[in-house]
Amino acid sequence: MLSVVVPCYNEEETVNIFYEKITKVLPTFCEKYELIFIDDGSKDSTIDKIKHLRENDNRIKFISFSRNFGKESAILAGFEKAKGDYIALLDVDLQDPIELLPEMYKAVKFENYDMAGARRTSRDGEPPIRSWCAGLFYLFMQKGLKIDLKNGARDYHLMKRDVLNSILSLREKTRFSKALFPWIGYKTKVFEFKNIERVAGDTKWSFTQLLLYALDGIFAFSDIPLLFMSFCGVVFFLIALIIACCLLITQDISWKILTSALVIMFLGVQMLCFSVLAQYIAKIYNETKNRPHYLVREQSEDC
Ligand code: UDP
Ligand code: MG
């Protein structure tokens, strides 16, 4: 059986279009499947649309959160409920091309791959600043953190049950699935496609949310920001030493003005370093509280 996990947040405009399309494609390559919709605390009629679809199709299951817990929690919930031998994860807005599913399934079932992933090779339609920041982020993940996370990598995956179990064994609270997939390893076939615009509705991510999500990814996968703090410490100590020597030798007043300016700058850098440290402390705090990843308000009885 194939389990298809679909996170949804305020997607009343896309749920039906998605259902129409996926129920045409799935029967072409697999006999048995379940569709698990996760309503991530939507404020619109998403859950009603899902329930309506379920009235005529018992392959549809759903979980509805008590509030919006974020896509990562929705993904985790769907993975926990999936009963299939193969599990697929894709967005409901049709930005993950459903036509790739048969090939992804073939790769995992017949071509000795454990997992199939997808990557968009273009970002047409996206604001340039967003694409530029994304490029920088992926470059840092690859070169800085040595994580094999290609620019444009999607959450869109199809995997074997063993792979899913490995993902489920990672219980951290700050989840960054995009990088968890390459982190667990396994033989992965990547499918590439040109960017597709949303079929309806709007993106749920503001620029700030994306930035915070990217920072979450960096902090969750590396202690390089802490090394950066040590680096700053050494560099500024050396600068201070040089200025002190110059002051002693020249007795020049302009050195004093420069020193004042630098002291203010050092304070700024110190604040930055503290904030990096605070990020790690906040993450530890979050982990130790051990709160659940999500709370369920309602779910289908077979879920
Ligand atoms: N989503 C979710 N919870 C959220 C935000 C988004 O479940 O808090 C779902 C959303 O319904 C969609 C997928 O995650 O199925 C991707 O979201 P979106 O299309 O807004 O992101 P983008 O494609 O713009 O990165
Ligand atoms: Mg989208």
Side-chain angles (χ1 to χ4, degrees):
M1 182 168 79
L2 174 69
S3 300
V4 181
V5 172
V6 195
C8 308
Y9 177 50
N10 292 345
E11 297 284 4
E12 62 183 5
E13 289 173 75
T14 55
V15 167
N16 285 336
I17 309 173
F18 173 85
Y19 176 77
E20 287 299 322
K21 190 148 189 197
I22 200 150
T23 45
K24 283 201 178 78
V25 174
L26 286 175
T28 62
F29 68 93
C30 86
E31 285 172 16
K32 205 171 166 213
Y33 65 86
E34 61 176 1
L35 279 173
I36 308 174
F37 288 98
I38 302 94
D39 166 38
D40 184 9
S42 299
K43 293 176 189 77
D44 63 4
S45 62
T46 301
I47 189 63
D48 303 324
K49 300 259 169 183
I50 296 169
K51 282 181 180 169
H52 185 70
L53 290 173
R54 182 177 154 83
E55 280 168 18
N56 303 312
D57 187 347
N58 60 9
R59 290 166 304 192
I60 292 189
K61 298 169 181 182
F62 69 86
I63 314 163
S64 183
F65 289 174
S66 61
R67 65 165 171 85
N68 179 242
F69 279 88
K71 186 182 179 188
E72 288 293 342
S73 301
I75 294 174
L76 181 68
F79 281 173
E80 284 174 345
K81 302 293 174 185
K83 297 190 178 75
D85 311 295
Y86 299 92
I87 299 91
L89 165 70
L90 71 169
D91 289 355
V92 73
D93 59 7
L94 298 187
Q95 282 198 285
D96 293 331
I98 291 178
E99 309 80 56
L100 285 180
L101 267 180
E103 286 190 53
M104 291 167 94
Y105 185 72
K106 197 172 125 215
V108 172
K109 192 160 186 189
F110 303 111
E111 291 174 19
N112 199 27
Y113 285 97
D114 303 305
M115 174 161 56
R119 182 175 97 84
R120 58 177 173 175
T121 51
S122 67
R123 287 177 170 268
D124 310 339
E126 200 179 61
I129 178 79
R130 205 157 152 157
S131 309
W132 188 79
C133 289
L136 206 68
F137 168 73
Y138 285 106
L139 191 74
F140 182 70
M141 287 303 258
Q142 278 173 42
K143 303 279 182 227
L145 311 191
K146 306 277 177 258
I147 294 172
D148 186 19
L149 185 61
K150 304 247 165 29
N151 192 348
R154 304 283 298 171
D155 288 329
Y156 190 14
H157 278 83
L158 192 149
M159 69 207 90
K160 287 181 179 165
R161 164 63 50 187
D162 287 351
V163 177
L164 181 81
N165 289 342
S166 299
I167 289 281
L168 287 176
S169 70
L170 311 173
R171 300 308 302 175
E172 61 228 63
K173 299 284 180 241
T174 309
R175 297 183 76 81
F176 191 74
S177 291
K178 267 195 176 81
L180 289 180
F181 286 116
W183 187 88
I184 56 166
Y186 291 100
K187 211 170 159 216
T188 306
K189 184 166 184 178
V190 178
F191 292 82
E192 296 190 338
F193 63 94
K194 286 230 161 63
N195 188 40
I196 305 164
E197 302 244 2
R198 247 179 181 274
V199 69
D202 294 313
T203 176
K204 308 296 175 293
W205 301 83
S206 67
F207 184 77
T208 320
Q209 277 172 316
L210 270 182
L211 192 71
L212 292 177
Y213 183 56
L215 285 176
D216 257 359
I218 292 170
F219 288 123
F221 276 85
S222 148
D223 48 14
I224 281 192
L226 289 173
L227 281 176
F228 164 77
M229 285 171 61
S230 317
F231 175 77
C232 285
V234 172
V235 169
F236 287 120
F237 173 75
L238 290 177
I239 294 176
L241 202 69
I242 293 167
I243 292 175
C245 292
C246 292
L247 259 176
L248 270 178
I249 298 163
T250 63
Q251 300 285 319
D252 185 349
I253 188 76
S254 60
W255 281 106
K256 287 185 185 159
I257 297 167
L258 178 71
T259 314
S260 318
L262 281 174
V263 165
I264 296 168
M265 196 178 104
F266 293 164
L267 279 176
V269 175
Q270 218 167 36
M271 288 296 281
L272 181 77
C273 291
F274 276 137
S275 69
V276 168
L277 204 60
Q279 277 299 318
Y280 284 98
I281 294 171
K283 296 275 176 287
I284 298 166
Y285 177 55
N286 210 19
E287 294 290 330
T288 51
K289 273 193 289 188
N290 209 19
R291 287 188 183 165
H293 289 90
Y294 55 87
L295 292 170
V296 177
R297 182 174 170 271
E298 179 181 15
Q299 63 184 42
S300 53
E301 59 277 6
D302 50 359
C303 217

